[in-house]
Amino acid sequence: MTEIDVKQRILAANESAAQDLRARWRRTLVVNLISSPGSGKTTLLESTIERLRDEYRLGAIDGDIATERDANRLRRHGIPAHQILTGGACHLDARQVAQALEQTPMDVDILFIENVGNLICPTSYDLGEDFKVVLLSVTEGDDKPFKYPAIFAKAEVTLITKMDLLQHVNFKLADVRRQVATLRPDGLLLETSAIGGEGLADWCQLLRERLDAKRGVKA
Amino acid sequence: MTEIDVKQRILAANESAAQDLRARWRRTLVVNLISSPGSGKTTLLESTIERLRDEYRLGAIDGDIATERDANRLRRHGIPAHQILTGGACHLDARQVAQALEQTPMDVDILFIENVGNLICPTSYDLGEDFKVVLLSVTEGDDKPFKYPAIFAKAEVTLITKMDLLQHVNFKLADVRRQVATLRPDGLLLETSAIGGEGLADWCQLLRERLDAKRGVKA
């Protein structure tokens, strides 16, 4: 069996597990958050939880190579959070998510899956989510969408994060918008700052609308 | 053949190619730079080239999934730079480096290999380098060494980058120093800013000393 055969088998097994998850989540909105390490996934979730926890039952699954740190941060905001430790693996797969749910059942309205910090490998693995979100912080530079095109093409939503630092760095928003529009013409891009609060109302409104749409609630 | 068998075969083949490279580089210092996307590898190299190019013959190999952008940036500083496009692969391997050198022979004193932006996957692949350098920018957060322990244990040198932004973020240098010292007790950590120039003299001096030591020049 070649390396490519093995990869295809792994992805096929993952797809089957992802479909099982999707079938289970008929009334739960599931969001798969992907970014480089340190782009602000956990900080975004902390702010999101604060804004939505009185309105919805929220839960989180965190993927990391090591440390329970991220799940602990989210638990402090009063939601169930399950930490998956991958050991050395560079992405989450659907079977890990299914196992996490066996250990920590989550009967929630919105489930956030915070993937391992990696702009490349998580892209290929369907976790049964409703949509992928890619985060790009302004401190990472404005050349990233074309350098990592797969995730920016697959993610329905691009969140520019750390907008509060924009004044201190050379980051051309218009360039990033152009790249993302090329890779994902029907995608949505939001400019956010978890510290300043910019864009978070729009982000939370997007989650509300997507959950309503999934449940067949008319706007 | 299982997934693990395949991975072991791949790493064994890589190790053999890396040893061939190492045998070839008896008088060239080779540095393998690894970090998250946007930690400042290319910017560090631009500043390094400016400081060392009158003293040494320098060359670079850049790994990216897509775009020739990084190699183009380095060529503008007057050094040969070969761009490896991995297509979708999340790391460089030694055979790709050997092929790059066939296409762009580099008879240089110091060769920089700028790996694909990824804090995880490049860690396992020996490229025949003298040592690995991991970059961590202050905007990525001070929890990263323990969250991505393998690379901070394998890298002889940790470069904290973007020190000019330290005043704008919550990044505890002492915490990072402690984590790195735990993972790599004999490692060296330098605080740098490619914009402000902080730490670059020490970084360049380290390169001089390592090249001299490799060539048997007495200090």
Side-chain angles (χ1 to χ4, degrees):
Chain A
M1 208 185 304
T2 68
E3 183 184 352
I4 290 166
D5 292 334
V6 171
K7 179 107 198 261
Q8 283 172 344
R9 277 197 181 204
I10 292 168
L11 287 177
N14 184 74
E15 192 52 39
S16 160
Q19 290 308 331
D20 290 346
L21 287 170
R22 196 164 271 122
R24 182 192 308 193
W25 285 329
R26 270 172 305 180
R27 292 189 59 79
T28 299
L29 183 73
V30 181
V31 184
N32 181 358
L33 296 124
I34 296 173
S35 80
S36 305
S39 297
K41 295 183 290 302
T42 316
T43 305
L44 173 81
L45 289 182
E46 290 180 305
S47 300
T48 306
I49 293 164
E50 287 301 317
R51 284 165 184 258
L52 292 180
R53 69 176 175 185
D54 293 338
E55 212 173 323
Y56 298 111
R57 295 165 302 163
L58 307 172
I61 293 173
D62 285 275
D64 272 298
I65 288 184
T67 85
E68 283 259 338
R69 192 182 153 91
D70 286 353
N72 284 337
R73 283 175 63 186
L74 299 184
R75 284 182 200 122
R76 270 181 230 123
H77 293 268
I79 72 158
H82 184 97
Q83 182 78 51
I84 296 174
L85 296 179
T86 69
C90 50
H91 62 273
L92 291 180
D93 65 43
R95 283 180 292 187
Q96 288 172 314
V97 172
Q99 283 161 14
L101 291 176
E102 277 171 31
Q103 291 167 47
T104 310
M106 295 202 199
D107 182 21
V108 296
D109 299 309
I110 304 177
L111 176 65
F112 299 104
I113 303 177
E114 186 182 348
N115 222 308
V116 179
N118 183 331
L119 211 42
I120 306 169
C121 313
T123 310
S124 310
Y125 290 82
D126 182 1
L127 303 181
E129 71 272 354
D130 289 282
F131 59 100
K132 289 181 172 67
V133 175
V134 61
L135 287 78
L136 173 64
S137 57
V138 300
T139 52
E140 288 171 70
D142 51 28
D143 57 350
K144 295 300 171 288
F146 277 177
K147 286 179 76 174
Y148 301 85
I151 183 56
F152 288 90
K154 281 212 178 177
E156 275 184 47
V157 180
T158 298
L159 291 186
I160 307 298
T161 60
K162 308 192 189 180
M163 283 291 291
D164 49 292
L165 294 175
L166 185 65
Q167 60 188 304
H168 305 298
V169 295
N170 181 16
F171 183 90
K172 294 179 211 76
L173 267 169
D175 275 11
V176 172
R177 284 193 169 279
R178 221 175 350 250
Q179 293 170 61
V180 172
T182 302
L183 295 165
R184 180 83 192 202
D186 66 340
L188 180 69
L189 184 148
L190 293 176
E191 298 166 14
T192 69
S193 165
I195 288 177
E198 180 179 352
L200 295 185
D202 288 342
W203 160 244
C204 290
Q205 187 56 28
L206 168 77
L207 295 171
R208 284 186 197 100
E209 288 171 6
R210 290 297 299 257
L211 178 62
D212 283 351
K214 185 166 189 175
R215 292 180 169 176
V217 178
K218 290 208 175 141
Chain B
M1 206 185 306
T2 68
E3 183 184 355
I4 290 165
D5 292 334
V6 171
K7 178 108 198 257
Q8 282 172 344
R9 278 197 178 201
I10 292 168
L11 287 176
N14 184 75
E15 192 51 41
S16 160
Q19 290 308 332
D20 291 347
L21 287 170
R22 196 163 270 124
R24 182 191 309 191
W25 285 330
R26 269 171 308 181
R27 291 188 59 77
T28 298
L29 183 72
V30 181
V31 184
N32 181 0
L33 296 123
I34 295 174
S35 80
S36 305
S39 297
K41 295 183 292 300
T42 315
T43 305
L44 172 82
L45 289 181
E46 290 181 305
S47 299
T48 306
I49 294 163
E50 287 301 317
R51 284 164 185 257
L52 292 180
R53 69 177 175 187
D54 294 338
E55 212 173 322
Y56 297 111
R57 297 165 302 163
L58 307 173
I61 293 174
D62 284 276
D64 273 298
I65 289 185
T67 85
E68 284 258 338
R69 190 182 155 95
D70 287 353
N72 284 337
R73 282 175 62 186
L74 299 183
R75 285 183 200 121
R76 270 181 229 124
H77 294 267
I79 73 158
H82 183 97
Q83 182 78 49
I84 297 174
L85 295 180
T86 69
C90 49
H91 61 273
L92 292 180
D93 65 44
R95 283 181 290 188
Q96 288 172 313
V97 172
Q99 284 162 12
L101 291 175
E102 277 173 31
Q103 291 166 47
T104 310
M106 294 203 199
D107 183 19
V108 296
D109 300 309
I110 305 177
L111 176 64
F112 299 104
I113 303 178
E114 186 183 348
N115 221 309
V116 178
N118 183 331
L119 210 43
I120 308 170
C121 313
T123 309
S124 311
Y125 290 82
D126 182 2
L127 304 181
E129 71 271 355
D130 289 282
F131 59 101
K132 289 181 170 66
V133 175
V134 61
L135 287 78
L136 173 64
S137 57
V138 300
T139 52
E140 288 170 72
D142 51 29
D143 57 351
K144 295 300 171 288
F146 277 177
K147 286 179 76 174
Y148 301 85
I151 182 58
F152 288 90
K154 282 213 177 176
E156 275 185 47
V157 180
T158 297
L159 291 186
I160 308 296
T161 60
K162 308 193 188 182
M163 284 291 291
D164 49 290
L165 294 176
L166 185 65
Q167 60 188 304
H168 305 298
V169 294
N170 181 17
F171 182 91
K172 294 178 211 75
L173 268 169
D175 275 9
V176 171
R177 284 193 169 278
R178 223 177 347 252
Q179 293 170 61
V180 172
T182 303
L183 295 165
R184 180 83 193 202
D186 66 339
L188 181 69
L189 184 147
L190 293 175
E191 298 165 14
T192 69
S193 165
I195 287 177
E198 179 179 353
L200 296 185
D202 288 342
W203 160 243
C204 290
Q205 188 55 28
L206 167 78
L207 295 172
R208 284 185 196 97
E209 289 171 7
R210 291 295 301 254
L211 179 62
D212 282 353
K214 185 167 189 175
R215 291 179 169 175
V217 178
K218 289 207 177 141

